[in-house]
Amino acid sequence: MGKSDFLSPKAIANRIKSKGLQKLRWYCQMCQKQCRDENGFKCHCMSESHQRQLLLASENPQQFLNYFSQEFRNDFLELLRRRFGTKRVHNNIVYNEYISHREHIHMNATQWETLTDFTKWLGREGFCKVDETPKGWYIQYIDRDPETIRRQQELERKKKQDLDDEEKTAKFIEKQVRRGLEGKELEVPVYTELSRESEEEKVAFNLNKGASTSIAASSKTSSVLGPSALKTVEGAVKRKESSHSSGQSKEKKKKSALDEIMEIEEEKKRTARTDYWLQPEIIVKIITKKLGEKYHKKKAVVKEVIDKYTAVVKMIDSGDKLKLDQTHLETVIPAPGKKVLVLNGGYRGNEGILESINEKTFSATITIDSGPLKGRRVEGILYEDISKLA
């Protein structure tokens, strides 16, 4: 048996090793070639087929990047839908199951650099519900399949129809009971002894009369049971009407103007918060160290906002332009008396004047200087919700 035989121990060992996952740094996405060690990867990079693939990719790199990104997204969402459904799950668990497949698209060949960026993108595009916790990012698949939507609508329609049928049945019973009570009172049958005046007279039985007697007896029984059933139905209807009327009276209860304004403000503050805060023409500070000491802790002006989470900033001291994510930036709090812009919360987009700063609660007090709320004093607004205007 030769060394190159298909059933040789070496050939079998090589096939077993090639089935499992290998190191990512020795994988070529363009050729879809997994090398076992550094020497094999070096030989592959020097091969003619690899060089042809690189020349092909250099002609239109964006096309290949978009293709790999689309394949990665489709496979990831298909695994999430099939494996976990609409349950809330940690994104790293789904990713580990995805990469367990040997022929998967690697993330370093897509437009997303990290799993966190990909998770945020899924939330922005509406494919999943995402939320950040101390344990990491969790995702929940949003099923927009037409068949699923149709099935949910059918269930809601059936539930509503069942409720309507119950109401119709209750009204029908009430109507029948009332109709029975409105009828005439039936005669009470009189029972006599069986006797004959003469022995020659024949005894005759009237069966129809007996049937009518039994019918009368049954009608009497039903008339006896009727009022109790009527009372039960009337009591249920009255309780339902009383609860409905009490609920309507509570809803129709007038509220003071101050209560209505406070409720509107609270609802506005609760629903107006978002996970993005970038706005043009505000001054921010760069907090990332990846750009070096030249830009670390330096201030810049936001010139343009891209996709709500990315900003093009211009350095104040050097005039350089950079494209940064909002996680690499933080707001700048000016001295009291300077103008600020509200970036988040119920007063988002309004300009104001900084009145004072509370260092214990990391909040500030401002006076709105624009819009219909001009002149309103707002207390307890957080540092990250305001920034200095350029």
Side-chain angles (χ1 to χ4, degrees):
M1 186 180 294
K3 292 184 179 179
S4 61
D5 194 355
F6 181 77
L7 296 177
S8 64
K10 185 175 182 180
I12 294 174
N14 289 339
R15 288 197 299 274
I16 293 174
K17 291 178 182 178
S18 64
K19 285 183 179 180
L21 293 175
Q22 305 293 324
K23 290 188 177 180
L24 180 59
R25 60 178 178 172
W26 295 333
Y27 182 81
C28 177
Q29 185 66 66
M30 284 299 302
C31 304
Q32 296 183 356
K33 172 71 174 175
Q34 176 69 67
C35 300
R36 207 170 299 157
D37 52 18
E38 186 176 1
N39 184 40
F41 186 70
K42 180 180 178 181
C43 293
H44 170 71
C45 292
M46 296 172 62
S47 64
E48 183 180 355
S49 61
H50 179 73
Q51 297 297 329
R52 286 199 302 268
Q53 289 290 338
L54 289 184
L55 290 175
L56 184 64
S58 62
E59 293 178 358
N60 194 353
Q62 191 64 32
Q63 179 182 359
F64 286 93
L65 182 65
N66 294 337
Y67 172 75
F68 291 141
S69 301
Q70 185 178 2
E71 288 294 322
F72 177 82
R73 182 202 67 187
N74 294 340
D75 294 343
F76 188 91
L77 290 176
E78 178 64 21
L79 174 64
L80 178 62
R81 182 189 65 82
R82 187 181 66 255
R83 175 67 176 81
F84 300 98
T86 56
K87 294 189 297 185
R88 182 172 174 268
V89 63
H90 200 283
N91 62 349
N92 204 29
I93 295 177
V94 186
Y95 182 71
N96 287 333
E97 289 199 16
Y98 171 76
I99 65 176
S100 63
H101 181 53
R102 183 171 177 269
E103 302 298 334
H104 71 277
I105 301 293
H106 293 277
M107 184 174 286
N108 58 359
T110 65
Q111 63 184 8
W112 305 286
E113 296 180 358
T114 62
L115 182 60
T116 301
D117 294 339
F118 177 63
T119 303
K120 291 181 180 179
W121 183 86
L122 289 177
R124 289 196 298 267
E125 295 296 325
F127 291 104
C128 301
K129 295 179 182 179
V130 300
D131 58 312
E132 186 179 10
T133 65
K135 294 183 179 180
W137 287 86
Y138 282 81
I139 57 178
Q140 184 178 0
Y141 181 71
I142 301 175
D143 194 355
R144 290 191 172 88
D145 186 21
E147 183 65 23
T148 304
I149 297 175
R150 185 191 64 79
R151 189 160 52 249
Q152 292 177 354
Q153 292 176 353
E154 287 291 336
L155 290 175
E156 293 178 358
R157 192 181 299 112
K158 184 179 179 182
K159 185 177 179 181
K160 184 178 179 181
Q161 186 177 0
D162 292 341
L163 293 176
D164 294 342
D165 292 341
E166 290 179 1
E167 293 180 358
K168 290 179 181 179
T169 305
K171 290 181 180 179
F172 177 76
I173 293 173
E174 181 184 357
K175 184 177 180 181
Q176 292 294 330
V177 173
R178 291 184 181 277
R179 183 180 296 176
L181 290 178
E182 291 175 358
K184 296 181 179 180
E185 295 183 359
L186 297 174
E187 297 180 358
V188 179
V190 178
Y191 301 98
T192 59
E193 295 181 0
L194 181 61
S195 61
R196 57 182 179 178
E197 298 178 357
S198 63
E199 295 180 356
E200 295 179 357
E201 185 180 356
K202 294 180 180 180
V203 178
F205 296 94
N206 191 349
L207 298 178
N208 292 333
K209 187 176 180 180
S212 62
T213 305
S214 61
I215 292 173
S218 62
S219 301
K220 181 181 180 182
T221 307
S222 63
S223 63
V224 172
L225 295 177
S228 62
L230 178 61
K231 290 180 181 179
T232 305
V233 175
E234 287 180 347
V237 173
K238 287 181 179 179
R239 285 195 298 270
K240 185 175 180 181
E241 291 178 354
S242 62
S243 62
H244 186 64
S245 61
S246 63
Q248 288 183 348
S249 62
K250 290 181 180 178
E251 291 179 357
K252 292 181 179 179
K253 186 178 180 181
K254 293 185 178 180
K255 298 178 181 178
S256 63
L258 182 59
D259 292 339
E260 292 181 357
I261 294 174
M262 291 178 65
E263 287 183 2
I264 293 173
E265 292 296 330
E266 291 296 331
E267 183 69 17
K268 188 177 180 181
K269 291 180 181 179
R270 184 179 64 84
T271 58
R273 292 198 64 85
T274 59
D275 58 346
Y276 56 89
W277 52 268
L278 290 173
Q279 294 287 344
E281 301 302 325
I282 62 171
I283 299 178
V284 293
K285 184 185 292 184
I286 300 175
I287 58 176
T288 181
K289 295 182 179 179
K290 295 181 179 180
L291 302 177
E293 296 296 332
K294 180 180 178 182
Y295 300 109
H296 183 55
K297 295 293 183 181
K298 297 299 177 64
K299 295 181 181 179
V301 180
V302 178
K303 292 298 183 181
E304 183 183 357
V305 178
I306 303 173
D307 294 335
K308 300 180 182 179
Y309 296 89
T310 308
V312 177
V313 300
K314 182 178 181 181
M315 304 303 298
I316 295 178
D317 52 358
S318 62
D320 298 340
K321 286 190 175 182
L322 304 174
K323 185 178 180 181
L324 298 171
D325 190 80
Q326 72 172 8
T327 56
H328 299 154
L329 304 171
E330 70 175 6
T331 58
V332 175
I333 306 300
K338 299 291 185 179
K339 274 198 170 186
V340 295
L341 180 66
V342 182
L343 308 177
N344 214 336
Y347 304 97
R348 181 187 181 98
N350 290 316
E351 297 180 5
I353 298 176
L354 183 64
E355 299 292 340
S356 61
I357 298 174
N358 191 344
E359 297 180 356
K360 294 182 179 180
T361 59
F362 301 101
S363 60
T365 301
I366 66 171
T367 301
I368 303 298
D369 195 31
S370 64
L373 302 177
K374 184 176 182 180
R376 175 171 294 184
R377 182 184 176 89
V378 183
E379 298 180 355
I381 190 167
L382 300 177
Y383 284 170
E384 57 265 24
D385 291 347
I386 58 173
S387 188
K388 182 180 179 181
L389 275 172

